[in-house]
Amino acid sequence: MAEFSRRKALISGGGLAALGALVAAAPAQARSLVGWSWSPGESVAGSGAGADPHWVWDAEADPLLASLLERGAVPKVNELLWNWERNDQPLPGGLPADLRDFIEHARQLPSWADRDKLERAAEFNKSRGIYLNLCNGPGGGILATAIPKEARSVYYSAGGADMEDRVAKTSLFGFAVGALNAYRPDGTCIVECVKTRLVHAAVRHLLPQSPRWKAGADEDIPISQEDMLVTWHTLPTFAMRKMREWEVPITDAEAEAYLHVWQVTAHMLGIADEYIPATWAAADHQSDQILARNTGPTPEGVKLTDVLLGQLAEQTSPASTSRPLCNALARYLVGDRVADWDGIQREPVWDRVIPEAWPLLVKFREGLIPLPMVPEAAWTIDEALRKYIFFYLTKGQETKIEIPTHNRPE
Ligand code: HEM
């Protein structure tokens, strides 16, 4: 863990919050003042009980993982699931019967999954890969550190002690969602989602046993359905808003397909259908309701950001990039409010250059302007991104998602 500077710990925001392009209005505030009014009528289910997702977790997976952990079965399960990789792959023999039953059910795509849309989304992921990788990788990673409950969960769970491995595991997931064959039989997205669902259920059992997590938590159980939705919005909703802001040409069919792959992914991660937005308008509405009250600064978020940006800088060097470019790119992506919450240092040169160069680079890529209009500095950003994306795509191959059996050591 990199040295944590006191200056960074003291940086915090006040007044109205703006989580990148996502938070539209209200500041982080007591939820009792805001409540939950998003209607299940706006969801893929089209109806539902409308319960506040702050108080809903994963009724199927949570008791199962609690039981597996208490029975000491998880190390063996991890060993057996290590080579379970492909969507169409039968489960290995020897799994506990209750887990096998759960996975066989959890690996089924929802009845509303649309193969054509999933195929179109895969093409879109390919053609817009550079923006999506930037938004969902460094963008989503830095945004997550400005979500106090997520930052604290990640920090105090086992993975918090080894962020490099955690980033690699998350990139494995990101790669699976963005792959051309994501939900085809030879893809891996179903498996990664189901494994992640198991990991989250294990974390719900383990983290309440961490004295340091418990000391600062305003809840008894982490990773509620609301928390999942908040993180979900830092992925597709954030990426779509950014691409719109950069004026990336996107057809309605592409936008719908991109939403669809993330709707299916939300379902596969254990988010209940009655909370999954049916349209982009419903997604924006939901994100406006829950993002502001779930974002803010924490010392843990500042530390995690420092580690993340340090890693990013390492991956992208020796281009004339390294840390100042990474800091500025992160600030550009998530906006000043979040960047300040996360203690990201201001960079006099790059903070000025990136907002000018990046939109021109996008326009050039999209064939909207000719080469001479692209400033030289844009190519340094481009090179850093390419290196990062290469890292992002290869790093995950070194590891696999496993169910934790303990928290971060005290
Ligand atoms: C683990 C993705 C929401 C906290 C993971 C992993 C993935 C992932 C791929 C496995 C990688 C690993 O084990 O390190 C997602 C996605 C989410 C989501 C796509 C929402 C759409 C959340 C939320 C929280 C959270 C809301 C907390 C509030 C954690 C923790 C781990 C984890 C603590 C385990 C780290 C460990 O093993 O120590 N998540 N996550 N996640 N996630 Fe999430």
Side-chain angles (χ1 to χ4, degrees):
M1 176 69 62
E3 183 65 22
F4 172 50
S5 96
R6 183 171 156 71
R7 189 191 68 77
K8 285 179 181 162
L10 294 173
I11 296 170
S12 69
L16 292 186
L19 179 61
L22 279 176
V23 173
Q29 54 187 292
R31 55 173 300 105
S32 56
L33 296 177
V34 201
W36 169 257
S37 60
W38 194 82
S39 160
E42 293 189 75
S43 74
V44 292
S47 64
D52 185 338
H54 184 72
W55 304 108
V56 185
W57 291 270
D58 187 335
E60 285 172 80
D62 295 349
L64 171 65
L65 265 292
S67 163
L68 290 171
L69 283 161
E70 276 162 15
R71 276 144 57 193
V74 171
K76 182 72 186 162
V77 164
N78 277 333
E79 210 181 295
L80 290 168
L81 290 182
W82 183 261
N83 287 323
W84 184 53
E85 291 175 320
R86 279 173 51 128
N87 293 339
D88 65 352
Q89 193 177 336
L91 284 171
L95 286 175
D98 48 0
L99 176 65
R100 166 176 295 275
D101 290 349
F102 170 80
I103 296 181
E104 290 300 4
H105 172 66
R107 73 189 295 185
Q108 302 304 319
L109 288 181
S111 57
W112 44 266
D114 179 328
R115 288 270 165 210
D116 292 342
K117 282 189 192 171
L118 291 174
E119 287 298 319
R120 194 174 300 126
E123 285 302 328
F124 179 70
N125 269 307
K126 192 170 139 200
S127 65
R128 299 290 184 263
I130 192 149
Y131 313 123
L132 294 170
N133 282 320
L134 177 65
C135 291
N136 293 340
I142 303 294
L143 287 176
T145 61
I147 301 169
K149 289 206 267 170
E150 179 155 0
R152 296 190 75 261
S153 296
V154 168
Y155 190 82
Y156 293 113
S157 65
D162 184 353
M163 281 303 281
E164 187 146 343
D165 185 54
R166 210 193 118 80
V167 168
K169 285 178 171 155
T170 309
S171 74
L172 193 72
F173 173 85
F175 178 63
V177 182
L180 262 178
N181 58 358
Y183 283 103
R184 287 188 204 147
D186 61 336
T188 58
C189 206
I190 293 176
V191 171
E192 304 303 5
C193 283
V194 171
K195 285 187 175 178
T196 301
R197 189 171 171 191
L198 298 175
V199 171
H200 286 153
V203 168
R204 291 189 191 99
H205 182 73
L206 292 170
L207 264 187
Q209 299 166 32
S210 155
R212 287 193 295 164
W213 177 80
K214 225 172 156 51
D218 60 359
E219 61 201 340
D220 292 334
I221 308 169
I223 323 185
S224 66
Q225 293 271 315
E226 175 172 337
D227 296 333
M228 298 283 296
L229 292 168
V230 169
T231 304
W232 188 88
H233 285 297
T234 66
L235 296 163
T237 314
F238 175 72
M240 185 51 82
R241 288 197 186 173
K242 280 287 154 189
M243 288 187 292
R244 297 275 191 219
E245 185 188 313
W246 298 331
E247 298 177 359
V248 174
I250 300 171
T251 65
D252 289 348
E254 284 173 331
E256 202 186 324
Y258 179 61
L259 175 63
H260 190 68
V261 75
W262 277 100
Q263 289 167 329
V264 172
T265 301
H267 175 100
M268 300 309 288
L269 284 167
I271 298 181
D273 286 359
E274 72 163 277
Y275 300 124
I276 302 174
T279 62
W280 279 114
D284 288 339
H285 180 205
Q286 189 186 72
S287 123
D288 289 348
Q289 186 170 123
I290 59 176
L291 257 286
R293 70 181 184 212
N294 281 293
T295 53
T298 53
E300 290 87 358
V302 173
K303 291 183 216 181
L304 291 175
T305 305
D306 196 36
V307 177
L308 282 176
L309 288 174
Q311 279 175 17
L312 198 58
E314 218 171 276
Q315 293 147 29
T316 52
S317 67
S320 54
T321 57
S322 62
R323 190 61 190 254
L325 178 87
C326 291
N327 286 343
L329 201 52
R331 179 174 289 276
Y332 176 64
L333 274 176
V334 302
D336 281 335
R337 167 68 68 197
V338 170
D340 290 344
W341 280 345
D342 280 341
I344 298 174
Q345 200 171 311
R346 298 225 175 223
E347 300 296 343
V349 177
W350 284 112
D351 280 345
R352 190 176 43 77
V353 169
I354 290 180
E356 285 168 14
W358 175 254
L360 293 173
L361 190 62
V362 172
K363 286 199 168 55
F364 172 70
R365 281 189 173 284
E366 301 302 325
L368 300 173
I369 58 168
L371 186 61
M373 290 182 70
V374 183
E376 198 52 40
W379 302 112
T380 310
I381 307 173
D382 193 60
E383 190 195 344
L385 270 184
R386 277 174 199 288
K387 285 190 175 164
Y388 166 72
I389 288 167
F390 177 74
F391 166 85
Y392 178 70
L393 296 182
T394 51
K395 185 75 188 167
Q397 292 166 9
E398 297 166 16
T399 187
K400 298 198 185 179
I401 295 175
E402 283 188 289
I403 305 168
T405 52
H406 58 278
N407 292 314
R408 184 189 183 118
E410 290 291 318

